Amino acid sequence: MSELLASGNRLGTYLRDRRVKLDPAAFGFPAERRRTPGLRREEVAQRANISPTWYAWLEQGRGGGPSADVLDRIARALMLTDVEREHLFLLGLGRPPEARYRKDAGVTPRLQRVLDALDPSPALIRTATWDVVAWNRAATAMLMDYGSLAPEQRNMLRFVFLDPRARAAHYDWESVARLVLGAFRLDAARAGAAADVEPLVDELRRRSPEFKAMWQDHDIPGSHGEAVKHIRHPVLGPIAFEYSTFAVDGRTDLSLLVYNPIATADAERIAEISRCARVTPPAK
């Protein structure tokens, strides 16, 4: 019977499972004379600033569905990770929570090893505000020596609209710029970073008439995750890439970009030039 109740009240089962795994002493609650491990229901309710009765009903599967605000407060009270918080919303509301952008410039060594393993395909990781935070050797050779730039200069939108090299590298700069700007707008909205990109948008409005005009058009691309990209490389000449964008699991603020050379001969030439590339340590 208890297993049947648990299967019919997955939200309550999950809340209780998270609650009993917390250490009361870590939250300033007395640990003695407890019949069961973990926090009491009223202690979770106190931390979440909700009614103890209402929280008890949630664990018991009574009282109707919770609001997003209540779930968010419970997630903080139970010290849930981003992944656990998402699971809580899926159980309670049938959908993930709204994006909550976090600023974190670093990547894990594991992600850097993924990038390095993709050589000779240029690959990089960018934030939702389109700052490049990690790259491999092929990206240095084919796209830009990001390591020689200060962090604030590693922004892809600034490069497209303010750097003459972007116009020289692309055959149809205006079409590329429109696609890039629409994708940037969409990425920032999805990640909940609209407020964080305002200073960058204001800067580019002042410095680039093309950006100002395109931004006012509010164009959104039908699809920007996969495409073919043609560039003029100063040494290798014309190169065609299959361009793909991938989400980074557990990091809504990051995207992995891979430029896979279409022609085998181009891949071999990129591999050769990458081996000879001088990789600059990142500027701090």
Side-chain angles (χ1 to χ4, degrees):
M1 182 66 176
S2 60
E3 292 181 0
L4 180 61
L5 290 174
S7 64
N9 180 25
R10 293 186 297 164
L11 174 61
T13 300
Y14 185 65
L15 288 174
R16 184 181 185 282
D17 178 77
R18 297 296 92 190
R19 174 171 62 82
V20 300
K21 291 180 178 177
L22 295 177
D23 179 7
F27 298 95
F29 295 116
E32 67 275 8
R33 294 192 301 274
R34 288 178 180 261
R35 291 180 298 176
T36 58
L39 296 185
R40 298 187 177 102
R41 288 172 175 170
E42 57 268 25
E43 291 168 342
V44 175
Q46 176 185 333
R47 285 179 46 79
N49 194 27
I50 61 177
S51 161
T53 300
W54 173 234
Y55 179 79
W57 283 355
L58 286 179
E59 283 202 6
Q60 296 165 1
R62 302 162 55 194
S67 67
D69 178 63
V70 166
L71 288 181
D72 206 37
R73 282 187 276 167
I74 291 175
R76 290 195 297 270
L78 294 174
M79 302 292 289
L80 300 186
T81 65
D82 287 346
V83 174
E84 291 169 340
R85 175 174 173 264
E86 180 178 4
H87 186 61
L88 177 68
F89 270 71
L90 290 172
L91 292 177
L93 295 177
R95 61 168 178 79
E98 292 185 6
R100 187 171 60 183
Y101 183 61
R102 69 180 188 186
K103 297 178 182 178
D104 189 346
V107 300
T108 63
R110 178 183 66 85
L111 281 177
Q112 184 61 57
R113 288 192 292 270
V114 170
L115 291 176
D116 295 338
L118 291 170
D119 275 316
S121 294
L124 56 86
I125 291 176
R126 74 180 180 210
T127 67
T129 57
W130 281 40
D131 291 321
V132 176
V133 293
W135 55 90
N136 62 6
R137 182 178 289 270
T140 297
M142 294 301 301
L143 303 177
M144 185 180 295
D145 185 4
Y146 293 104
S148 67
L149 304 176
E152 64 273 11
Q153 296 176 311
R154 298 176 195 151
N155 183 271
M156 299 178 72
L157 216 59
R158 284 195 182 98
F159 173 71
V160 169
F161 283 94
L162 301 180
D163 197 318
R165 291 175 295 179
R167 296 177 186 265
H170 294 100
Y171 290 91
D172 186 353
W173 177 87
E174 182 174 349
S175 295
V176 170
R178 286 189 179 277
L179 180 65
V180 163
L181 187 53
F184 165 80
R185 190 194 296 268
L186 193 58
D187 283 352
R190 282 175 172 169
D196 295 83
V197 302
E198 286 181 5
L200 175 62
V201 170
D202 289 342
E203 174 196 345
L204 292 176
R205 278 174 176 162
R206 294 191 306 269
R207 300 179 62 185
S208 171
E210 295 97 335
F211 178 91
K212 183 177 180 180
M214 292 180 190
W215 186 259
Q216 292 172 342
D217 289 342
H218 295 276
D219 290 338
I220 299 295
S223 174
H224 70 280
E226 294 184 354
V228 175
K229 185 178 185 69
H230 298 270
I231 68 168
R232 296 188 190 95
H233 189 266
V235 176
L236 300 183
I239 302 285
F241 294 98
E242 291 178 333
Y243 165 96
S244 300
T245 306
F246 303 93
V248 177
D249 189 33
R251 292 290 301 272
T252 59
D253 57 320
L254 298 181
S255 297
L256 167 64
L257 283 67
V258 181
Y259 300 84
N260 192 36
I262 294 176
T264 302
D266 286 341
E268 293 171 352
R269 292 195 298 155
I270 294 171
E272 179 61 29
I273 198 173
S274 297
R275 283 192 292 268
C276 301
R278 178 179 178 270
V279 178
T280 308
K284 302 297 184 183

